[in-house]
Amino acid sequence: MKHIIYQVVSFVLIVSLAAFAAGCAKKDTSSTEENTTAAETRAEVTQGETTATQAQTVGGTTAAETTKPTAAAATSTVDTALRQEIINVMKHRSFSGAFRVSKGGKLLCEGTNGMFSIDGDQPLSLDNRFLIASISKQFCATCILLLRNEGKLSLDDTLAKYYPEYARAGDITLKQMLTMRSGIFDYVSNDGAGFDAYIPYDFSENASEDGNHQAVRDWIFSQELLFEPGERFYYSDSNYFLLAEIVQRISGKSYGDVLRERIFKPLGMNDTGVAEELAHDEKTVPPFFSDKSAPREIYTIGATFGNGGIITTVADMDKWLTALRKHTILDEDSYKEMTTDYSPDDGHYGYGISLNDDGSLWHEGMADSFASYALTDPEKELNVFIVTNNAYARFSEFRGLVNEILNDVM
């Protein structure tokens, strides 16, 4: 089956990546030597003074490293040595992609490495948009909280209010879904098997969004719960798929319109949207499979929803991470509620976001050849966002990339 988005996230991997964010893992010897040398020469310069282009090879493909200052960051102070350290790590790991690091609301560094597509010679740009997959969940959680704050729903509502046809609907609350404690089976990941192992439905470009959504719902509602709701943590995309549908039902608008009106537009995230709108935009990066005969579609309509369908840029993600920790969209009480650890013994999960012991907040996303990682540290006022377009079948290596970069940054 072609043109599928699937995500691979498990409890063990979440714990291991949390350890990465805390800086507990060690870097490769070769990377350490490179980074130590670069760190000794670190200096701050004004953004816009330096624009570098350097030929290189990524995964056997000739590529170009580019660092282009964005207009919004033109007066920011940039650490060019840190930028080079990160690029060196991406080269060492043979990952193409983009990154941005900011502190206290000011840009520290940003850059790209590699190619827009395996089919051409166009280098990646900071203006390019990437699918961020599961990082999308925190946006869905925010929409639910905004509707709750307006009295349009309660987190104690059961699914029976929205899906009376579901046999177990009366036993599952919205809060249990937000915190991944519902017991609803994950429709995306069966130990990495993907959609084919689950839904007897032809996900294709010819199917309608509503048709694919109905197929997902029918499958979810036909499955037995893995455990009684509230009993334990289990990461399931099904929760956020259904939550996004509930946002649509209550608002009377498309999920994309709600995101745009309530989050993207107020924050000036003008290069961000949902896959239904941006999948084929000329600035949106396609999947970067090593096999040129592999599918090129970034999105199959209706196959994913609140669980992973947002496309954005590194600059826009920085705006979101800042707004999250500064309570720009959500009030302080809602932010505290969202970032409480509801599974301290296993998942370390809030509402659509993971928590580290040091107080930093993070999430990763994985779909097709895309892998992404976003972290914000409220105490340090630090934002880190990393995304790659060539992580297909190398997701564990992506975590190594994240580990090395976080060691440099934190």
Side-chain angles (χ1 to χ4, degrees):
M1 185 184 59
K2 299 181 178 179
H3 315 318
I4 302 304
I5 288 181
Y6 65 89
Q7 299 165 293
V8 184
V9 184
S10 69
F11 161 65
V12 173
L13 296 179
I14 289 174
V15 174
S16 65
L17 189 52
F20 289 164
C24 294
K26 296 181 180 179
K27 295 180 283 183
D28 293 340
T29 300
S30 57
S31 296
T32 301
E33 292 172 352
E34 290 175 358
N35 295 339
T36 299
T37 300
E40 292 173 350
T41 62
R42 180 173 297 179
E44 293 186 345
V45 298
T46 302
Q47 169 75 348
E49 291 179 352
T50 303
T51 300
T53 303
Q54 176 182 346
Q56 61 184 308
T57 300
V58 177
T61 302
T62 300
E65 167 206 326
T66 61
T67 54
K68 177 182 177 183
T70 58
T75 60
S76 298
T77 299
V78 178
D79 188 333
T80 54
L82 176 60
R83 173 182 57 78
Q84 191 59 51
E85 287 178 29
I86 295 174
I87 289 174
N88 287 344
V89 172
M90 295 186 78
K91 289 180 186 178
H92 177 70
R93 292 274 181 174
S94 297
F95 278 105
S96 61
F99 61 89
R100 183 179 172 101
V101 182
S102 69
K103 186 175 177 62
K106 295 182 179 180
L107 176 68
L108 281 184
C109 67
E110 61 182 355
T112 64
N113 181 67
M115 306 305 293
F116 180 85
S117 169
I118 196 171
D119 298 318
D121 58 1
Q122 177 185 345
L124 285 168
S125 164
L126 290 171
D127 294 329
N128 288 146
R129 302 185 180 103
F130 294 81
L131 182 72
I132 61 172
S134 282
I135 295 176
S136 305
K137 290 179 173 67
Q138 57 202 255
F139 294 91
C140 182
T142 298
C143 290
I144 289 289
L145 287 172
L146 289 172
L147 291 172
R148 188 279 307 275
N149 293 347
E150 294 168 357
K152 296 178 180 178
L153 60 78
S154 168
L155 299 192
D156 293 325
D157 286 345
T158 68
L159 273 183
K161 182 175 181 178
Y162 309 98
Y163 298 105
E165 70 274 23
Y166 179 27
R168 295 300 305 269
D171 302 319
I172 301 168
T173 67
L174 300 190
K175 184 170 182 176
Q176 288 166 339
M177 296 169 68
L178 285 166
T179 58
M180 303 290 190
R181 300 184 67 88
S182 69
I184 299 176
F185 201 64
D186 187 0
Y187 83 97
V188 171
S189 173
N190 181 16
D191 293 329
F195 286 110
D196 278 331
Y198 284 87
I199 305 169
Y201 190 86
D202 182 17
F203 282 103
S204 72
E205 296 171 348
N206 298 321
S208 70
E209 180 179 357
D210 288 344
N212 281 341
H213 278 190
Q214 185 64 55
V216 172
R217 284 195 304 273
D218 288 347
W219 185 89
I220 292 173
F221 295 163
S222 70
Q223 304 301 304
E224 296 291 331
L225 295 182
L226 294 182
F227 50 84
E228 288 304 302
E231 186 175 284
R232 61 181 176 88
F233 173 87
Y234 164 71
Y235 191 97
S236 173
D237 288 271
S238 301
N239 292 308
Y240 280 78
F241 183 93
L242 296 174
L243 287 168
E245 285 202 328
I246 291 170
V247 169
Q248 285 194 150
R249 292 188 182 198
I250 292 177
S251 67
K253 301 177 180 179
S254 73
Y255 183 59
D257 283 345
V258 175
L259 288 169
R260 184 166 39 255
E261 293 172 10
R262 305 301 299 267
I263 300 176
F264 301 156
K265 188 174 180 180
L267 296 181
M269 297 174 65
N270 300 321
D271 286 314
T272 302
V274 294
E276 290 90 343
E277 302 165 348
L278 297 178
H280 300 103
D281 185 88
E282 62 181 6
K283 294 198 297 183
T284 299
V285 178
F288 194 109
F289 296 108
S290 58
D291 178 5
K292 290 187 178 183
S293 66
R296 281 301 178 275
E297 285 297 320
I298 192 174
Y299 179 71
T300 299
I301 189 167
T304 188
F305 206 32
N307 54 308
I310 291 178
I311 294 174
T312 189
T313 63
V314 294
D316 274 6
M317 268 304 298
D318 188 49
K319 293 176 183 178
W320 163 250
L321 293 172
T322 298
L324 179 64
R325 61 178 169 78
K326 295 185 72 172
H327 321 142
T328 305
I329 298 296
L330 291 174
D331 59 41
E332 185 172 1
D333 288 341
S334 297
Y335 166 80
K336 289 180 179 178
E337 184 180 357
M338 180 178 179
T339 58
T340 295
D341 189 348
Y342 296 96
S343 298
D345 297 327
D346 41 21
H348 301 289
Y349 209 74
Y351 297 167
I353 201 159
S354 297
L355 299 93
N356 288 319
D357 292 338
D358 63 2
S360 59
L361 312 168
W362 67 276
H363 213 288
E364 68 176 358
M366 294 179 175
D368 282 345
S369 69
F370 297 97
S372 53
Y373 178 89
L375 175 144
T376 186
D377 189 320
E379 183 176 347
K380 297 179 181 178
E381 297 187 312
L382 178 72
N383 296 340
V384 181
F385 178 63
I386 310 157
V387 60
T388 177
N389 62 339
N390 71 334
Y392 183 66
R394 297 198 299 138
F395 293 136
S396 62
E397 291 183 35
F398 175 71
R399 293 184 174 95
L401 171 72
V402 170
N403 178 36
E404 293 184 53
I405 291 175
L406 288 178
N407 280 345
D408 288 333
V409 171
M410 301 184 74

